[in-house]
């Protein structure tokens, strides 16, 4: 059976392992089935960018601790694999150099690779002239900022190497779900602040002929889920400049009782019912139109 839509999942800060999204994907599939949808029609794809920095961060921490009797090593490891990700993720666009790595571009290369793989999976067995499939993006924490930057870049009219197809160019983007999003923290570095264009123009071209525009518009959702106890997760609508019109902020209570009331809730979104339920609804409403 051919896939009818693609779902891209990108993790946030921290030393994530390959397969980080598997538990969430399993829950989303189960919820789609329970709602009457066919989860076999959905292709899920992870963006695992952690290897870009993980080894360097671990080596740095080990070198700093060697012979220096540093305390709070677990907390230091959290800081190194979390906050250091955000610090390193910047475009060091200073021309060719052997004394620096451009983490921004390396992370974006990981996204590009995942998008290429996802499109190949979705189009396997499809007619060559069939339109590209609708796309949903699920992002956590720093991953929200990363995917937003990536979409801006690939849609940039000055892009020297634009994507070869609408899917990889995020022109078929129909749904976005963010959680633990810290985009507001990064807005201090920008003079002009605008969200990515959403809903994407001309989405009707990627749905079956005869699908009503009003039904497509009703299915298009950009949800931003945040736990008020999560000091790394923020609402987006207060940024204004279009965020208030494009995004629906939803306060949730992420995690079990021992974590949901404190900053540890930042790591608890992925399989929390307050997150998987609305995320599955976004996916299912799009799938029903296909």
């Amino acid at each position: 059976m051919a896939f009818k839509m693609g779902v891209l999942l990108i993790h946030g800060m921290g030393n994530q392992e390959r397969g980080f999204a598997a538990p969430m994907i399993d829950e989303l599939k189960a919820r789609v089935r329970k709602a009457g949808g066919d989860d076999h029609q959905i292709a899920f794809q992870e963006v695992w960018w952690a290897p870009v920095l993980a080894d360097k961060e671990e080596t740095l921490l080990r070198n700093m601790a060697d012979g220096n009797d540093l305390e709070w090593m677990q907390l230091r490891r959290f800081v190194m694999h979390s906050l250091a990700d955000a610090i390193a993720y910047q475009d060091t666009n200073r021309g060719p150099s052997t004394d620096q790595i451009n983490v921004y571009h390396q992370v974006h290369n990981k996204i590009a690779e995942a998008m290429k793989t996802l499109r190949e999976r979705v189009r396997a067995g499809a007619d060559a002239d069939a339109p590209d499939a609708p796309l949903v993006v699920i992002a956590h924490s720093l991953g929200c900022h990363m995917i937003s930057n990536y979409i801006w870049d690939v849609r940039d009219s000055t892009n020297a190497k634009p994507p070869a197809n609408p899917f990889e160019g995020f022109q078929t983007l129909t749904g976005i779900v963010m959680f633990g999003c810290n985009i507001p923290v990064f807005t201090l570095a920008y003079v002009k602040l605008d969200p990515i264009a959403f809903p994407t123009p001309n989405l009707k071209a990627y749905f079956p002929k005869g699908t009503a525009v009003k039904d497509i518009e009703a299915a298009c959702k950009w949800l931003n889920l945040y736990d008020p106890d999560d000091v790394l997760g923020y609402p987006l609508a207060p940024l204004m400049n279009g965020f208030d019109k494009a995004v629906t902020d939803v306060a949730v209570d992420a995690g079990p009782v021992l974590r949901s009331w404190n900053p540890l809730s930042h790591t608890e979104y992925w399989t929390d019912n307050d997150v998987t339920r609305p995320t599955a609804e976004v996916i299912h409403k799009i799938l029903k139109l296909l």
Side-chain angles (χ1 to χ4, degrees), residues 141-158:
S141 183
L142 181 60
C144 302
H145 181 53
M146 290 171 166
I147 199 65
S148 178
N149 283 343
Y150 184 84
I151 294 172
W152 267 112
D153 289 355
V154 298
R155 289 179 175 177
D156 188 346
S157 60
T158 65

Side-chain angles (χ1 to χ4, degrees), residues 43-256:
F44 292 89
Q45 182 70 40
E46 295 181 345
V47 180
W48 184 44
W49 57 264
V52 171
L53 285 168
D55 288 347
K56 290 178 68 67
E57 289 170 343
E58 194 61 35
T59 298
L60 178 60
L61 181 62
R62 186 168 56 249
N63 290 344
M64 293 299 101
D66 188 23
N68 293 310
D69 297 324
L70 295 182
E71 301 291 344
W72 301 97
M73 287 305 296
Q74 285 299 105
L75 181 57
R76 289 178 188 274
R77 183 163 278 106
F78 170 78
V79 171
M80 185 63 72
H81 287 294
S82 299
L83 301 186
D85 286 344
I87 295 169
Y89 175 70
Q90 56 181 304
D91 188 2
T92 53
N93 191 16
R94 302 172 186 167
S97 174
T98 58
D99 63 355
Q100 63 182 241
I101 61 170
N102 195 314
V103 174
Y104 184 95
H105 287 173
Q106 289 194 17
V107 169
H108 286 204
N109 286 342
K110 294 289 187 182
I111 298 174
E113 291 168 5
M115 283 295 292
K116 185 175 186 298
T117 298
L118 181 56
R119 183 175 187 267
E120 289 172 351
R121 292 177 58 210
V122 171
R123 293 192 65 82
D127 294 337
D129 58 349
D132 273 308
L135 171 69
V136 173
V137 166
I138 300 173
H140 175 230
S141 183
L142 181 60
C144 302
H145 181 53
M146 290 171 166
I147 199 65
S148 178
N149 283 343
Y150 184 84
I151 294 172
W152 267 112
D153 289 355
V154 298
R155 289 179 175 177
D156 188 346
S157 60
T158 65
N159 189 353
K161 293 183 178 179
N165 56 76
F167 188 86
E168 292 178 62
F170 286 80
Q171 299 304 319
T172 74
L173 183 61
T174 313
I176 304 172
V177 180
M178 295 180 170
F179 41 90
C181 175
N182 36 52
I183 284 177
V185 176
F186 296 93
T187 60
L188 299 173
Y190 294 88
V191 175
K192 191 176 188 307
L193 181 63
D194 294 304
I196 56 175
F198 187 86
T200 309
N202 197 34
L203 277 176
K204 184 177 173 62
Y206 309 109
F207 284 82
K209 201 171 287 187
T211 306
V213 172
K214 65 178 179 62
D215 292 335
I216 297 174
E217 291 176 345
C220 289
K221 294 291 182 185
W222 180 350
L223 298 182
N224 177 52
L225 313 175
Y226 70 98
D227 190 320
D229 293 310
D230 173 16
V231 297
L232 294 174
Y234 293 88
L236 290 176
L239 294 174
M240 305 299 286
N241 298 304
F243 281 95
D244 53 327
K245 296 179 177 63
V247 184
T248 300
D249 288 323
V250 181
V252 300
D253 187 21

